[in-house]
């Protein structure tokens, strides 16, 4: 600890000296530049000569910022820092190689813009280093200048850089220095088209985040604590980090053995859980792959910890371990029912599809773009051939299409949907095919009298059911017969999952008792909220699933697996990823270059070393876990994995498939994700539109509920080679190309965004090139004349 403290003190001292020196250097350059402007009455052509010496020293020193980011001395994105610094270095190099441009107004504008933006930037860093509160404790004028001047100075600086380089193209000194220099400068100027907007928007995003962090909105008075809670952390709070580490450590210990014990200890000692949790999750999965017993031991130990350590507070203030408190709950709900008016008749399974999502094609498939019958089966087969879905997923889609083409429906099949209103859920598709959906979602009484009352959710769900051949069943706080109109029904519908998991489970158990003994019942969790709420929802939904499975052993369980997780994948997908590595960008050696320049962050090999199980069987893994999504999201999805493993081992059919990357509104609202999605097809991905994903995943759910030969039925585990319950997730995967891509999903995002922008810029570059060729041709003709 003493040596670490000494190292941190040395690093802080170095950063203080570095930032102070850079601030003084840029400050001196700024003083000289402003003095020149004052003396010459605003003549930018004289600025470079007056201030270039301190500017050059300070600018070359900025190369160390790339080193700082690469080594972790400062927490800055390597790609962004590298782009910003190297664009400056190239412009400076051009001015030094072609001195004639130094007297151009653009060079003066460039130097002045750089100086004006760098002085407050380094002052901000220096202030943050000496302030006990870090960046939040910086002086407000410094803070404001740091996050506001860019709005003017980025455009002026970029304009100065571009005009300076363009002017240098006419300098004989440039070609004399290096024959290819003009061509390289042209290529560099072309990169400004995607690079400049990226840098500017990145600063806009940083400004928004910095101001929000410094001036957070006033907290509303907190309501009385009740419902599902994280356990106390011993420091007066309920840290999700402490709990997240504890549950994963407990789960890992469940694998048994000294290796698992040592791995669990490393979890507890992890200091940077937020950004390094992924390596511990990977270790947990690899330990689970070693034997069926280890996988189940991990799943049971993880969920046992959650039930024993998470807390639950009742409406009257009683508090205790989650498991104990919810299991002794006595209350339940009334039942509401709405039957559809549609006829089951001849139903054909239809999938909206007009190609994958792209920024150039962002809208939902039009009404006429629907696949059904042989067209749907053909598309499923094509997806499998391209590595977008696994072959057994395509076969399951074909089976479902054939099933409904025979005049059959989902009448008599019951689907309990926890989170019925979810955008990614199968609710409308199930009703369309004649199913009875037991809908669990938020109370319709919330927001009454406000602009967004939640009763509108229940109106939508009930209207969908009325216009279908299916039916909807839902919990109510009062008898349906006592409601005077539909509005009152909607307001009395729904339940609060995080505060009423015991009552919901009791209601489900009571409801299933009214069904025939041989009725097919499926229960699935489709809930999502941000952060720690997702974990709470997952736990409460798990209780409902467990209780219904206990009451009705034939119940099937369903989950939508996120593609951004760690899964056992097929040998064929792994082989495809290995075969594709080295193609595309790699054919020019660019993949290795991008990987090296990014410090190993970009274009990382997707195919991982396999796990050799104790039985001798080899299991391949794919790591799609996105660190940016955070440990709470990872824990919530892992809890679903654990329940799936346990239920499958207990004899329940578990319809849990990997879903594809999907362009939901919440995802593409983030422009960075949208840009990355735009370039990912280059790497063999297909980003699905939400309507397509809903229909495809519902299709597989129906297959598993209806087809007794499904790989998701534990009776068929030997036929499908599912020896370890973790192998359940390699079957029927619709990964969208994530498993078969040469590079891991976490390493293609930035490169995909650049590829997208390059594609956007291509027509303009072609037009500019054509125009330039036209001008050159005209001048040559004129000279010849």
């Amino acid at each position: 600890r003493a040596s670490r403290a000494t190292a941190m003190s040395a690093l802080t001292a170095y950063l203080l000296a570095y930032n102070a020196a850079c601030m003084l250097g840029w400050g001196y350059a700024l003083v000289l530049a402003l003095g020149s402007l004052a003396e010459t009455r605003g003549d930018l052509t004289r600025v470079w000569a007056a201030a270039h010496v301190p500017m050059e020293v300070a600018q070359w020193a900025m190369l160390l910022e790339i080193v700082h980011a690469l080594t972790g001395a400062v927490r800055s994105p390597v790609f962004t820092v590298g782009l910003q610094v190297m664009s400056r270095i190239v412009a400076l190099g051009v001015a030094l190689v072609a001195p004639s441009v130094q007297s151009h107004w653009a060079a003066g504008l460039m130097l002045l813009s750089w100086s004006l933006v760098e002085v407050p930037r380094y002052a901000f860093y220096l202030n943050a280093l000496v302030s006990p509160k870090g960046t939040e404790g910086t002086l407000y004028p410094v803070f404001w200048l740091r996050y506001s001047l860019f709005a003017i100075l980025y455009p002026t600086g970029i304009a100065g850089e571009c005009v300076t380089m363009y002017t240098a193209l006419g300098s004989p000194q440039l070609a004399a220095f290096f024959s290819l220099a003009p061509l390289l400068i042209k290529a560099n100027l072309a990169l400004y088209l995607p690079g400049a907007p990226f840098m500017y928007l990145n600063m806009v995003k940083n400004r928004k985040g910095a101001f929000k962090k410094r001036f957070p909105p006033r907290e509303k008075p907190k309501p009385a604590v009740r419902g599902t809670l994280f356990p106390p952390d011993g420091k007066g709070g309920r840290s999700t980090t402490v709990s997240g580490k504890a549950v994963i450590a407990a789960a890992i210990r469940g694998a048994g053995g000294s290796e698992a014990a040592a791995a669990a200890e490393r979890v507890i000692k992890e200091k940077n859980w937020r950004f390094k949790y992924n390596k511990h999750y990977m270790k947990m999965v690899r330990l689970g792959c070693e034997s069926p017993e280890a996988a189940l031991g991990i799943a049971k130990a993880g969920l046992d910890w959650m039930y024993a350590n998470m807390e639950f507070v009742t409406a009257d203030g009683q508090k205790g371990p989650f498991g104990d408190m919810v299991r002794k709950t006595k209350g339940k709900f009334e039942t509401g029912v709405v039957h559809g008016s549609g006829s089951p008749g001849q139903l054909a399974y239809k999938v909206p599809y007009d190609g994958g999502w792209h920024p150039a094609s962002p809208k939902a498939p039009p009404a006429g773009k629907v696949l059904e019958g042989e067209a749907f089966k053909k598309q499923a087969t094509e997806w499998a051939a391209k590595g977008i879905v696994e072959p057994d997923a395509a076969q399951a889609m074909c089976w479902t299409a054939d099933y409904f083409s025979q005049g059959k429906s989902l009448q008599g099949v019951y689907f309990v949907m926890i989170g019925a209103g979810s955008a990614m859920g199968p609710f409308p598709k199930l009703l369309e095919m004649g199913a009875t959906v037991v809908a669990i979602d938020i109370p319709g009484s919330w927001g009454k009298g406000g602009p967004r009352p939640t009763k509108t959710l229940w109106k939508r769900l009930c209207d969908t059911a009325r216009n279908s051949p299916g039916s909807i069943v839902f919990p109510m706080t009062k008898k349906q017969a006592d409601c005077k109109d539909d509005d009152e029904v909607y307001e009395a519908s729904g339940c609060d999952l995080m505060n009423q998991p015991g009552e919901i489970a009791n209601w489900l158990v009571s409801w299933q008792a009214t069904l025939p003994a041989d009725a097919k019942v499926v229960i699935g969790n489709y809930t999502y909220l941000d952060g720690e709420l997702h974990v709470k929802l997952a736990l409460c939904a798990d209780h409902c699933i467990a209780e219904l499975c206990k009451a009705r052993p034939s119940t099937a369980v369903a989950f939508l697996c996120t593609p951004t997780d760690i899964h056992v994948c097929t040998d064929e997908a792994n082989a495809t990823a290995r075969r594709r590595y080295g193609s595309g960008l790699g054919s020019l050696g660019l993949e290795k270059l991008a990987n090296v320049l990014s410090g190993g962050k970009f274009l990382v090999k997707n195919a991982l070393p396999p796990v050799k199980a104790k039985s001798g069987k080899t299991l391949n893994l794919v790591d799609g876990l996105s660190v940016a999504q955070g440990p709470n999201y990872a824990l919530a999805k892992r809890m679903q994995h654990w329940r799936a493993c346990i239920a499958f081992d207990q004899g329940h059919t578990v319809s849990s498939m990997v879903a594809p990357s999907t362009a939901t509104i919440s995802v593409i609202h983030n422009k960075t994700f949208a840009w990355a999605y735009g370039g990912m097809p280059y790497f063999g991905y297909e980003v699905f539109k939400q309507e397509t994903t809903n229909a495809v995943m519902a299709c597989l759910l129906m297959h598993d509920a209806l087809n007794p030969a499904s790989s998701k039925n534990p009776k068929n585990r030997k036929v499908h080679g599912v020896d370890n319950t973790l192998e359940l997730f390699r079957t029927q995967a619709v990964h969208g190309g994530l498993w078969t891509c040469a590079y891991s999903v976490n390493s293609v995002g930035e490169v995909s965004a650049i590829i997208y922008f390059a594609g956007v810029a291509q027509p303009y570059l072609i037009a500019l090139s054509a125009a330039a060729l036209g001008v050159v041709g005209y001048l040559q003709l004129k000279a010849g004349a």
Side-chain angles (χ1 to χ4, degrees), residues 179-427:
S179 60
L180 293 179
L183 179 62
L184 293 175
I185 289 178
K186 291 176 183 178
N188 187 59
L189 285 170
L191 290 176
Y192 270 77
L193 287 171
F198 174 81
M199 293 301 301
Y200 191 86
L201 291 174
N202 182 65
M203 276 303 300
V204 171
K205 179 182 176 183
N206 289 345
R207 184 182 195 276
K208 184 178 180 181
F211 271 82
K212 185 176 181 180
K213 187 175 181 180
R214 183 155 183 154
F215 304 107
R218 290 184 179 180
E219 291 188 8
K220 297 179 181 179
K222 294 182 179 179
V225 175
R226 61 165 298 199
T228 309
L229 303 172
F230 277 82
D233 57 12
K235 299 179 181 180
R238 296 180 180 272
S239 168
T240 60
T241 295
V242 172
S243 297
K245 290 165 63 175
V247 64
I248 296 303
I252 289 175
R253 290 190 196 99
S258 58
E259 185 181 0
E265 189 63 25
R266 288 193 293 272
V267 170
I268 297 299
K269 292 180 178 179
E270 178 60 68
K271 300 296 184 183
N272 189 10
W273 182 249
R274 172 61 184 85
F275 293 100
K276 294 186 177 180
Y277 70 92
N278 57 315
K279 68 178 183 180
H280 300 288
Y281 272 69
M282 175 57 76
K283 182 62 178 177
M284 177 174 62
V285 175
R286 294 186 75 89
L287 286 169
C289 288
E290 292 184 357
S291 71
E293 295 77 18
L296 282 171
I298 288 171
K300 291 176 180 177
L303 286 180
D304 285 348
W305 190 97
M306 295 297 291
Y307 277 83
N309 290 275
M310 292 289 281
E311 293 185 347
F312 189 83
V313 181
T314 61
D316 59 2
Q318 296 183 53
K319 181 172 67 176
F322 177 86
D324 294 342
M325 298 301 292
V326 297
R327 290 186 187 114
K328 67 182 184 181
T329 301
K330 300 299 182 183
K332 62 179 183 178
F333 294 90
E334 301 293 339
T335 300
V337 180
V338 172
H339 296 293
S341 58
S343 170
Q346 184 71 27
L347 296 174
Y349 199 83
K350 300 177 181 179
V351 177
Y353 185 71
D354 62 346
W357 184 90
H358 190 272
S361 177
K363 295 183 179 180
K369 293 290 185 177
V370 175
L371 300 174
E372 61 178 282
E374 293 302 318
F376 174 41
K377 292 164 66 175
K378 180 181 178 183
Q379 182 60 56
T381 305
E382 287 181 5
W383 278 328
K386 293 178 181 178
I388 303 300
V389 309
E390 290 304 295
D392 58 346
Q395 293 166 9
M397 293 180 213
C398 294
W399 187 95
T400 306
D402 289 340
Y403 178 88
F404 290 110
S405 69
Q406 298 168 15
K408 299 178 181 178
S409 74
L410 288 178
Q411 285 197 326
V413 185
Y414 301 84
F415 292 86
V416 180
M417 283 189 62
I418 305 175
S422 165
M424 289 294 291
F427 179 80

Side-chain angles (χ1 to χ4, degrees), residues 652-688:
H652 299 274
T653 293
V654 177
S655 181
S656 185
M657 284 79 60
V658 175
S661 296
T662 303
T664 60
I665 294 175
S666 60
V667 172
I668 60 176
H669 179 72
N670 184 320
K671 293 299 182 184
T672 305
F673 280 118
W675 297 334
Y677 274 6
M680 286 173 72
Y682 178 87
F683 294 108
Y685 281 81
E686 180 170 330
V687 178
F688 280 45

Side-chain angles (χ1 to χ4, degrees), residues 573-595:
N574 180 269
T576 300
R578 291 181 184 278
R579 185 175 67 252
R580 289 179 174 178
Y581 186 73
S583 61
L585 289 173
S587 62
L588 299 176
L590 296 180
E591 95 187 356
K592 286 295 183 184
L593 180 62
N595 185 265

